[in-house]
Amino acid sequence: MPREYIMRYTRPADLWNDALPLGNGRIGVMAYGHANIERLQLNEDSLWYGDFINRNNPKLKEALPEIRRLIFAGKIPEAEDLIQRYMIGAPASMRHYETMGELDIAVNELSPFDMNWLPQSDDVEDYENELDLMRGVQTVRWTRDGVRYTREVFVSHPDHVLCVRVRSSVPGAITLHAQFDRCMIYDMKVEDDRRPGKYRRGGDWAGMFLDENHTLDAVTLAARGNAGGTGFAMAVSMVTDGTVEDPYTQLHTSGASCVCLYLGAATKNREADPMAAALAAARAAKEKSFDEILARHVEDFEPMMRRCELRMGDEAGRTTDELLEAGRAPGGDPALAALYFTFGRYLIVSGGRQDSTALNLQGIWCKEFLPFWDSKYTTNINVQMNYWPVEMTNLSELHESLFDLIARVCERGKETARVMYGMRGSVTHHNTDYYGDSAPQDAYMASTSWPTGGAWLALHLWEHYRYTRDLEFLRQWQPVMREFALFFLDYLTPDGNGYLVTCPSVSPENRYLLPDGYDSPICAGPAMDNQILRELFGALIEADALLGLGDPLTAEFAAAREKLPPDQIGSRGQLLEWREEYAEMQPGMGHISHLYAAYPGYQINWLETPELLKAAGRSVDLRVEGGAGRGGWPLAWFICQYARQLDREKTGAAIAKMLVSSKTRNFFNGARVFQIDGNLGATAGIAEALMQSHTGIIHLLPALPLTWAEGEITGMIARGNVAVDIRWAEGKLVDAVLRPARTDKIALRTDLPCRIVTAEGEVAVETTAWGVTFDAAADKEYRVLPC
């Protein structure tokens, strides 16, 4: 039987950070799971406040030579002063993502929509709340006054709607109200003195931000709003076997045994008439049966989830709260790790489809009107981390929404390069938004002046090629990579020591101390920039040869690559972050930008640069000694670094810490502020512990945590488009299956003697210092067996 991956609860969520996420890439839902009054908080992925703003500062190019002169002369405060005046966008901030509102559903409750009421489940028994990660369906069951109720919720990608079905075990037992709301969500519970034992929202109610909100007929509710010029609409159609009334303010049915709600949503960023689009989706769903839509949803959702499965431990019907508690015990719980890994892939499938926007800082799930860091795309680590797992966990096509964003950013970045720098190519700084804004963001010295965000994004295109070996994809996207690299042919400047460096720049978002105690992030040629550009120039050189382009810029890329400063090792055995060995202002800084080449890059590795890899490991240790890596996306990055160090003990300890560090009940990364990057970075780290291929060698179980004694993973993808299944027991390989999609030579490292067999018999191999190589045919299975 297929393994179930179900998040189970015996009490609902009272906090947004504990609610359960559902989505189809465009519509995002946070379902609290309450019985009597349920809140479904809603997002639409294209609902960004306002239109695109041209923020490019044309005065920068006049000041740039002087900024550079001051930096090279060591006059950092003076350089900072000019940067604060000339290298800031106008205005300083781009657009932000925000909530669409909420759909509140009451079952057998009177007057449920007093603006002060929280979701509630008073007077219910036998409560169950499940999120089936394989099917993308939430099911809540409860008993009240002897009647058993069931509510199912999912968001269909094929039918473009949120679907809700409420049923009762006794005919005619349901009275249901449904209404839209759009206000600040306060999760504080304050006891209400008017109704003993009841609770209301804490804090001040912020009011409703909708322009229209009423029924169009007795079974259709519609709402319209505006977010700084971005018009949006949402509409619900109801199907009921009970009696309907039309109070105009909400949907109402009584005496029902089954009620279905179908919600559509749209914004003017996609639709000329958002209301017409929302109504069309809701009404089209209403003409089908709930079971038909559910079957289409599961047929779409489950195959993607089943492609790659990690099986460890035994959930044994335990609730997620119980698994989290077990995970806090010494040694952790492998079943918790398997469920967490599956949840990470679930977030990608639910939050980012090919026809949706890229996953932002919160994926698509956001309850605020002005969220932390605007819930946009931070390009100095966060949006990249969102996509670290997609290729190796067999969700390659879901990388495409990021590629669409990169294309928009590239076009905007050409204008930024021309207007702000007077240079060719395309440039993007440390943030972008729905519209691809590429101008500097904020007025924060440690991040605003970093020019390398677009170059890093471009390397996702190259990674997709390395995994798929799709030459037509490479031919389509090589021009985008080329634009980001072309900018740096103009931007790189001589440092006086024979090297070409970025200037000004920063090592995101760290600061160093000068001998006089002055702290600054401003520098020339930080290690991260050199590593990213070395990789990007190298990718374009290789792409030119693969595609036979004969690009005249290839020689220039090669020449520039040779003049980039090399990585250096410092006095404490660490990899240097800047050109000189400065003291760090924050020894516990979470950003480990200078370790890009070790992960997610591949220039620093166990095969070719073991001394630099050792120095990268020392850098991580020093950060931990300084207090870094306690949770969130920094800890996720540390997991990936430990895995690349092939350190089983530290990898396992960091994963165990990550699983229980956020304090939420739903695995969300963060308690006060949710960021999806930590979830997805940790998912990538778990995958890296089980298989790596960045060196061109498929390495099985390279950093298997010591506490994961037995298990298996199926459907991983290695670079070169090789599917990999691995099974282990007592911490050692039992067997593996490789299924290449193309005929090629496979290089394999197993860390113990193995033989390769097919249905026809044993395969001839060539032994190397680290493993074996063998010729493999496309679409054939190769089984790896320890000798």
Side-chain angles (χ1 to χ4, degrees):
M1 293 290 293
R3 177 164 174 165
E4 292 184 330
Y5 297 83
I6 296 175
M7 298 174 68
R8 296 181 173 89
Y9 299 88
T10 55
R11 59 187 176 92
D14 288 325
L15 303 176
W16 185 92
N17 272 9
D18 292 330
L20 295 177
L22 300 114
N24 66 354
R26 292 191 174 187
I27 298 174
V29 178
M30 289 292 284
Y32 284 61
H34 275 277
N36 302 332
I37 302 177
E38 170 64 328
R39 172 190 290 152
L40 300 177
Q41 186 269 319
L42 305 171
N43 288 100
E44 206 280 349
D45 71 319
S46 66
L47 183 52
W48 289 65
Y49 181 92
D51 296 322
F52 170 73
I53 330 166
N54 182 352
R55 303 185 306 109
N56 291 319
N57 184 343
K59 298 294 185 179
L60 172 62
K61 55 181 175 287
E62 301 170 12
L64 185 58
E66 179 62 8
I67 292 171
R68 286 176 163 176
R69 187 192 70 79
L70 291 169
I71 292 171
F72 287 128
K75 297 181 178 180
I76 302 301
E78 293 85 348
E80 287 184 348
D81 181 60
L82 285 181
I83 289 169
Q84 283 281 34
R85 284 188 276 150
Y86 288 94
M87 207 170 180
I88 306 299
S93 187
M94 57 187 67
R95 296 310 196 184
H96 66 267
Y97 186 60
E98 65 178 59
T99 182
M100 185 172 65
E102 60 187 77
L103 176 65
D104 296 324
I105 302 170
V107 175
N108 298 344
E109 284 288 320
L110 298 176
S111 303
F113 300 114
D114 184 311
M115 61 189 181
N116 284 317
W117 295 114
L118 286 165
Q120 57 96 346
S121 301
D122 298 342
D123 306 319
V124 303
E125 300 174 322
D126 301 325
Y127 175 89
E128 300 173 3
N129 181 7
E130 298 180 346
L131 176 60
D132 187 331
L133 298 177
M134 291 290 110
R135 300 169 69 245
V137 179
Q138 182 205 31
T139 304
V140 182
R141 303 178 187 89
W142 69 95
T143 300
R144 187 179 185 187
D145 297 329
V147 180
R148 189 67 171 164
Y149 297 91
T150 302
R151 182 176 67 243
E152 299 152 280
V153 184
F154 64 92
V155 190
S156 167
H157 184 260
D159 288 285
H160 315 296
V161 285
L162 161 66
C163 304
V164 181
R165 177 167 65 182
V166 181
R167 292 180 288 175
S168 63
S169 61
V170 174
I174 298 171
T175 295
L176 182 144
H177 312 257
Q179 178 174 309
F180 286 127
D181 200 354
R182 190 171 193 252
C183 59
M184 291 293 285
I185 291 177
Y186 290 100
D187 287 325
M188 295 167 56
K189 293 179 67 174
V190 178
E191 190 164 3
D192 187 73
D193 53 11
R194 294 176 299 166
R195 299 177 67 183
K198 303 285 186 178
Y199 293 86
R200 59 181 175 83
R201 301 176 193 251
D204 296 325
W205 186 66
M208 186 178 293
F209 298 98
L210 291 171
D211 299 331
E212 295 181 32
N213 182 18
H214 57 79
T215 59
L216 302 182
D217 55 54
V219 293
T220 308
L221 177 68
R224 188 195 312 269
N226 189 293
T230 304
F232 66 91
M234 42 190 173
V236 170
S237 288
M238 178 174 68
V239 177
T240 176
D241 61 0
T243 302
V244 297
E245 296 178 18
D246 185 0
Y248 197 64
T249 58
Q250 59 193 260
L251 295 176
H252 176 85
T253 181
S254 59
S257 307
C258 178
V259 183
C260 298
L261 303 173
Y262 303 103
L263 179 146
T267 80
K268 86 171 187 70
N269 277 330
R270 283 208 182 95
E271 302 289 345
D273 187 342
M275 180 59 76
L279 283 168
R283 286 170 169 167
K286 180 173 172 286
E287 298 307 311
K288 304 170 185 176
S289 73
F290 186 93
D291 287 331
E292 178 188 354
I293 297 173
L294 175 60
R296 280 163 52 84
H297 162 71
V298 173
E299 185 180 352
D300 165 71
F301 197 95
E302 186 167 16
M304 281 186 284
M305 291 300 300
R306 292 288 179 193
R307 284 184 204 166
C308 180
E309 294 185 49
L310 174 58
R311 306 179 187 95
M312 294 192 302
D314 184 6
E315 294 177 36
R318 289 178 290 172
T319 68
T320 304
D321 292 325
E322 290 169 337
L323 284 169
L324 284 167
E325 189 61 33
R328 294 184 179 97
D333 189 329
L336 176 64
L339 191 63
Y340 187 100
F341 174 84
T342 305
F343 180 70
R345 295 185 71 252
Y346 168 87
L347 290 176
I348 298 170
V349 175
S350 300
R353 295 298 190 93
Q354 297 99 305
D355 59 354
S356 71
T357 61
L359 294 161
N360 65 47
L361 203 60
Q362 294 186 211
I364 55 172
W365 298 279
C366 170
K367 69 182 175 71
E368 287 94 3
F369 290 100
L370 186 59
F372 279 90
W373 303 289
D374 302 330
S375 193
K376 50 185 183 295
Y377 303 106
T378 304
T379 58
N380 65 16
I381 177 59
N382 310 89
V383 69
Q384 290 92 340
M385 186 179 282
N386 288 353
Y387 287 87
W388 285 354
V390 293
E391 299 290 347
M392 68 186 310
T393 71
N394 214 334
L395 294 172
S396 181
E397 72 271 37
L398 301 191
H399 220 155
E400 292 177 18
S401 59
L402 180 64
F403 301 158
D404 292 340
L405 177 65
I406 292 170
R408 290 197 299 276
V409 167
C410 184
E411 288 305 307
R412 299 287 189 195
K414 292 177 187 177
E415 186 69 2
T416 300
R418 184 186 66 82
V419 171
M420 291 191 65
Y421 295 89
M423 296 177 183
R424 300 173 296 168
S426 180
V427 62
T428 298
H429 299 83
H430 92 289
N431 266 267
T432 190
D433 62 12
Y434 176 87
Y435 307 102
D437 191 327
S438 57
Q441 167 69 23
D442 300 328
Y444 179 52
M445 195 63 65
S447 58
T448 297
S449 57
W450 187 62
T452 320
W456 188 352
L457 286 173
L459 285 167
H460 276 255
L461 303 169
W462 181 242
E463 272 295 271
H464 182 75
Y465 167 74
R466 292 186 75 212
Y467 273 95
T468 64
R469 291 296 193 265
D470 184 342
L471 284 173
E472 288 310 306
F473 171 87
L474 185 61
R475 192 179 304 278
Q476 176 187 352
W477 289 94
Q478 182 271 350
V480 173
M481 296 167 58
R482 185 181 186 271
E483 290 293 334
F484 285 116
L486 176 59
F487 171 79
F488 287 96
L489 289 184
D490 290 353
Y491 189 71
L492 288 169
T493 189
D495 71 344
N497 296 306
Y499 295 114
L500 293 175
V501 295
T502 53
C503 182
S505 190
V506 299
S507 184
E509 298 181 10
N510 209 359
R511 307 174 77 92
Y512 59 87
L513 293 173
L514 290 168
D516 64 1
Y518 187 83
D519 67 87
S520 178
I522 299 302
C523 65
M528 180 183 229
D529 287 3
N530 303 328
Q531 294 166 2
I532 288 174
L533 294 180
R534 191 177 294 116
E535 201 166 295
L536 181 57
F537 289 153
L540 283 161
I541 293 165
E542 188 173 343
D544 185 68
L546 287 165
L547 299 172
L549 299 175
D551 186 351
L553 285 181
T554 299
E556 295 185 50
F557 293 145
R561 187 172 186 246
E562 290 302 312
K563 290 191 175 183
L564 292 171
D567 290 309
Q568 303 176 82
I569 298 175
S571 62
R572 294 184 291 173
Q574 84 280 22
L575 204 67
L576 290 189
E577 188 160 1
W578 298 279
R579 294 189 306 153
E580 299 178 38
E581 187 169 359
Y582 295 113
E584 294 174 300
M585 180 185 174
Q586 295 176 268
M589 162 59 64
H591 283 262
I592 45 175
S593 305
H594 56 310
L595 307 187
Y596 168 87
Y599 188 94
Y602 49 84
Q603 301 156 62
I604 295 178
N605 59 69
W606 60 265
L607 178 66
E608 299 163 314
T609 56
E611 289 303 313
L612 289 177
L613 183 65
K614 182 179 178 182
R618 177 62 177 148
S619 292
V620 176
D621 291 343
L622 289 172
R623 288 290 167 86
V624 172
E625 289 173 15
R630 295 175 181 172
W633 65 260
L635 181 55
W637 200 351
F638 285 20
I639 292 169
C640 296
Q641 292 286 347
Y642 289 139
R644 288 282 174 93
Q645 292 285 330
L646 312 182
D647 191 321
R648 296 180 61 187
E649 183 176 359
K650 288 180 179 177
T651 301
I655 291 171
K657 186 177 183 180
M658 186 74 190
L659 301 185
V660 298
S661 66
S662 74
K663 313 303 182 190
T664 63
R665 297 174 58 212
N666 63 357
F667 297 147
F668 264 9
N669 165 52
R672 187 174 66 94
V673 180
F674 163 56
Q675 288 184 213
I676 201 172
D677 43 25
N679 288 100
L680 303 185
T683 302
I686 291 170
E688 286 281 333
L690 300 175
M691 189 268 289
Q692 295 174 17
S693 61
H694 58 290
T695 61
I697 299 164
I698 298 174
H699 190 175
L700 305 181
L701 305 180
L704 180 70
L706 298 175
T707 56
W708 296 0
E710 61 181 354
E712 69 174 315
I713 188 164
T714 57
M716 295 186 79
I717 303 294
R719 291 168 181 84
N721 207 354
V722 181
V724 180
D725 302 340
I726 309 170
R727 189 161 57 99
W728 66 93
E730 298 180 351
K732 296 179 180 179
L733 179 71
V734 172
D735 63 6
V737 176
L738 311 182
R739 294 182 298 279
R742 50 197 293 276
T743 297
D744 202 352
K745 186 177 289 289
I746 288 179
L748 180 68
R749 176 178 173 180
T750 60
D751 295 326
L752 75 171
C754 287
R755 57 195 182 96
I756 314 298
V757 300
T758 67
E760 291 80 27
E762 191 162 343
V763 176
V765 301
E766 180 181 341
T767 303
T768 70
W770 40 258
V772 299
T773 64
F774 60 95
D775 293 321
D779 302 319
K780 196 170 186 178
E781 284 197 355
Y782 295 83
R783 193 173 182 195
V784 182
L785 298 171
C787 296

